[in-house]
Amino acid sequence: MFVVTTLVSDLVESRNACVADRHHYPAATGTCSVDADEVRRAWATRSGAYSPAYYAHHGPDATSEWVVDAVTARLGETATVLEVGCSSGRHLERFRRAGFDSLAGIEVNPEALTVMRESFPELAAQATFHHGDVEAILTDWETDAVDVVYAVE
């Protein structure tokens, strides 16, 4: 499986630093924690600037191009692609336009999937979308169900 990640946010950087610290210094103590439920609530209720409608309005961008180019170069258009946290689907829409047929997304914000169906109806008809927490959704998936998993922030 090819994994592409471009995560750029203070929360993720803090979380990664916290995980790295525990990994490299398991005996270390400190006040490093991330409340996963709070993160899910924040994403599930996102509105206004950086909401699903905002991202759909702006459509695929340079990041979309980068992810599609990276996957195309390594696996080609026959790859099965999963975006975790797909929001309104703008990056998956770029995959669809590039000729990828096997696309899926997981999103915790129900509004995002509604916006996606309105903004990218061809993607909505072609791809498979799941609403909920990634941990719960992926529990029943086969290990090799997809070729590529990616998340973009």
Side-chain angles (χ1 to χ4, degrees):
M1 179 187 316
F2 178 54
V3 179
V4 179
T5 57
T6 58
L7 301 171
V8 187
S9 74
D10 292 339
L11 177 61
V12 171
E13 288 172 12
S14 297
R15 182 188 177 281
N16 288 346
C18 178
V19 170
D21 284 349
R22 277 185 272 179
H23 175 73
H24 294 293
Y25 308 104
T29 60
T31 59
C32 184
S33 66
V34 174
D35 183 339
D37 291 330
E38 181 57 34
V39 172
R40 283 187 202 96
R41 278 190 295 276
W43 282 104
T45 59
R46 204 169 209 192
S47 61
Y50 308 110
S51 68
Y54 169 90
Y55 286 121
H57 171 76
H58 290 285
D61 62 1
T63 301
S64 309
E65 294 292 329
W66 181 87
V67 174
V68 170
D69 289 349
V71 173
T72 302
R74 287 164 182 82
L75 300 173
E77 291 85 6
T78 60
T80 301
V81 178
L82 169 65
E83 181 177 10
V84 176
C86 64
S87 187
S88 57
R90 70 180 183 155
H91 302 301
L92 287 170
E93 172 62 10
R94 181 62 189 93
F95 274 101
R96 188 195 65 75
R97 292 178 189 173
F100 285 77
D101 291 326
S102 186
L103 303 170
I106 298 174
E107 177 56 46
V108 70
N109 185 333
E111 176 194 351
L113 299 178
T114 300
V115 170
M116 181 266 306
R117 285 188 292 275
E118 294 166 356
S119 301
F120 306 115
E122 291 173 343
L123 174 67
Q126 174 183 329
T128 302
F129 292 92
H130 306 272
H131 171 252
D133 299 336
V134 66
E135 301 91 344
I137 292 168
L138 292 181
T139 301
D140 296 330
W141 287 32
E142 295 294 324
T143 302
D144 59 354
V146 298
D147 300 311
V148 178
V149 177
Y150 75 96
V152 176
E153 164 46 30

